[in-house]
């Protein structure tokens, strides 16, 4: 489906009251190419059949994991050519859906009908690892720390201020869904160790890799430059990116690259706003590509890329 430049695509957002849903609505309102016809919470009482009956051009599902299937079935039956972007994990392992990571899969996303939006940790980790996959000797390790907005609004220890105060809470230390997601997408096993911290938004991932052969820092730095210098939503710099600097931003920041003296080991850091670059912003980019609009339409571009900082 390609939307003519002088027309707006009708859009529905299901799950608009959650943290990500609210960010998504703000982007949609400033986009200019969407006609927001439907904005509902899963608790509003509208059934999947009610939502599908709107027969809109596109839908974004921002509902909890495990709840997307009924909406997808109803929408597809009512309007087979509708674009559906699922922000949950339900279809990230389904080959019938396109995985919506633009830097890696832009050509496949363009014109796609069913797009599985990547997870926030998975986005940051994939982009940090992708330039190095062909060099790896064994599984890389990723130590991740997320703000508690990543745990959603349903009360749990992972978003309980009393539990998180002056604390760092580890959880799901093996077989986390984002560990499996990255492994599937990059074709390499990953060891991922997530934690929750007492700040609200933003994540940081420190990725440690071993190389089959020795490589010097300038050569590895060149791989990142080649991968991301032309990518406006990835800012690569010499300095290690900080969580406080990514909050409210739409890009992924990668930096702090270091290589051991023997050239066999490297560490790199990625940060991302889990609600924006890791969710809502990426969903808008996927909608744009699927509907034939410019990929970055509606995405604020207030921050200049940091490539110059590495020179």
């Amino acid at each position: 489906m390609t939307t003519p430049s002088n027309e707006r695509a009708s859009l529905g957002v299901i799950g608009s009251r959650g943290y990500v849903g609210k960010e998504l609505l703000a982007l949609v309102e400033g986009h200019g190419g969407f006609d927001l016809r439907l904005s509902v919470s899963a608790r509003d009482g509208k059934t999947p059949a009610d939502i599908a009956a709107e027969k809109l051009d596109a839908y974004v599902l921002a509902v909890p994991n495990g709840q997307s299937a009924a909406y997808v079935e109803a929408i597809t039956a009512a309007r087979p050519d509708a674009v559906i972007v699922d922000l949950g994990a339900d279809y990230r392992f389904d080959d019938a859906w396109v995985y919506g990571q633009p830097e890696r899969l832009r050509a496949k996303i363009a014109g796609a009908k069913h797009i599985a939006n990547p997870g926030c940790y998975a986005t940051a980790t994939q982009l940090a690892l992708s330039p190095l996959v062909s060099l790896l000797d064994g599984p890389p390790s990723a130590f991740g720390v997320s703000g508690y907005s990543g745990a959603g609004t349903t009360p749990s220890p992972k978003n309980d201020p009393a539990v998180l105060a002056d604390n760092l809470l580890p959880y799901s230390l093996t077989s986390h869904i984002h560990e499996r997601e990255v492994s599937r997408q990059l074709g390499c096993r990953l060891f991922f160790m997530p934690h929750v911290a007492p700040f609200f938004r933003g994540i940081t991932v420190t990725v440690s890799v071993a190389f089959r052969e020795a490589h010097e820092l300038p050569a590895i730095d060149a791989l990142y430059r080649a991968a991301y210098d032309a990518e406006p939503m990835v800012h690569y710099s010499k300095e290690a990116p900080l969580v406080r600097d990514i909050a409210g931003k739409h890009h992924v920041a990668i930096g702090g690259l270091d290589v051991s003296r023997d050239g066999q080991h490297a560490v790199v850091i990625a940060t991302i706003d889990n609600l924006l670059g890791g969710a809502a912003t990426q969903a808008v980019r996927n909608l744009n590509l699927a509907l034939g609009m410019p990929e970055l339409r509606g995405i604020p571009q207030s921050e200049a890329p940091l490539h110059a900082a590495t020179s």
Side-chain angles (χ1 to χ4, degrees):
M1 177 186 297
T2 300
T3 304
S5 59
N6 62 339
E7 294 184 11
R8 296 199 298 169
S10 58
L11 176 67
V13 176
I14 297 90
S16 57
R17 293 184 187 171
Y19 292 139
V20 172
K22 291 176 181 177
E23 298 286 359
L24 181 61
L25 287 184
L27 289 173
V28 167
E29 288 172 2
H31 186 279
F34 295 135
D35 178 9
L36 184 64
R37 300 267 189 89
L38 187 69
S39 173
V40 298
S41 165
R43 299 186 295 273
D44 284 342
K46 279 189 175 290
T47 68
D50 295 331
I51 288 165
E54 300 285 341
K55 295 185 178 181
L56 305 178
D57 295 326
Y59 295 82
V60 179
L61 305 180
V63 298
N65 291 343
Q67 295 185 17
S68 295
Y71 295 103
V72 171
E73 182 178 355
I75 293 166
T76 303
R79 182 166 178 182
D81 66 339
V83 172
I84 304 174
V85 176
D86 184 22
L87 284 163
D90 295 18
Y91 295 99
R92 293 177 192 157
F93 300 86
D94 188 333
D95 288 335
W97 284 59
V98 174
Y99 188 72
Q101 214 291 294
E103 282 78 12
R104 296 179 49 251
L105 299 169
R106 185 172 283 117
K108 290 185 177 181
I109 300 167
K113 301 302 181 190
H114 291 173
I115 302 168
N117 221 61
C120 50
Y121 267 131
T123 297
T125 305
Q126 281 177 75
L127 292 174
L129 266 176
S130 184
L132 306 181
V133 168
S134 65
L135 310 179
L136 296 179
D137 182 21
S141 295
F143 181 89
V145 180
S146 172
Y148 62 85
S149 61
T153 58
T154 302
S156 77
K158 291 186 289 184
N159 56 23
D160 184 338
V163 173
L164 295 175
D166 302 316
N167 199 12
L168 189 64
L169 181 67
Y171 69 100
S172 300
L173 295 176
T174 61
S175 301
H176 188 283
I177 192 167
H178 289 163
E179 177 180 284
R180 292 184 281 119
E181 185 179 341
V182 174
S183 296
R184 173 183 171 86
Q185 291 299 319
L186 295 186
C188 64
R189 191 177 183 187
L190 171 74
F191 297 140
F192 175 53
M193 298 149 287
H195 300 69
V196 182
F199 53 84
F200 178 68
R201 65 194 301 159
I203 65 173
T204 184
V205 183
T206 300
V207 179
S208 177
V209 305
F211 296 136
R212 289 191 307 275
E213 300 175 358
H215 298 275
E216 295 184 355
L217 176 60
I220 302 302
D221 175 76
L223 292 178
Y224 281 94
R225 289 174 175 270
Y228 299 129
D229 273 356
E231 292 289 349
M233 301 307 291
V234 179
H235 296 186
Y236 173 63
S237 68
K238 180 179 180 181
E239 292 77 19
L242 302 179
V243 170
R244 69 184 182 191
D245 296 332
I246 202 67
K249 306 295 177 59
H250 299 271
H251 64 277
V252 178
I254 299 175
L257 176 67
D258 199 6
V259 176
S260 62
R261 291 183 179 180
D262 64 4
Q264 300 285 163
H265 170 226
V267 176
V268 68
I269 300 164
T271 66
I272 193 171
D273 186 311
N274 54 299
L275 304 179
L276 290 174
T281 304
Q282 198 156 217
V284 171
R285 294 170 67 192
N286 285 326
L287 282 172
N288 286 339
L289 287 167
L291 294 167
M293 300 181 188
E295 179 184 328
L296 299 185
R297 182 170 181 174
I299 308 300
Q301 295 290 298
S302 58
E303 316 94 13
L306 303 180
H307 307 309
T310 62
S311 60

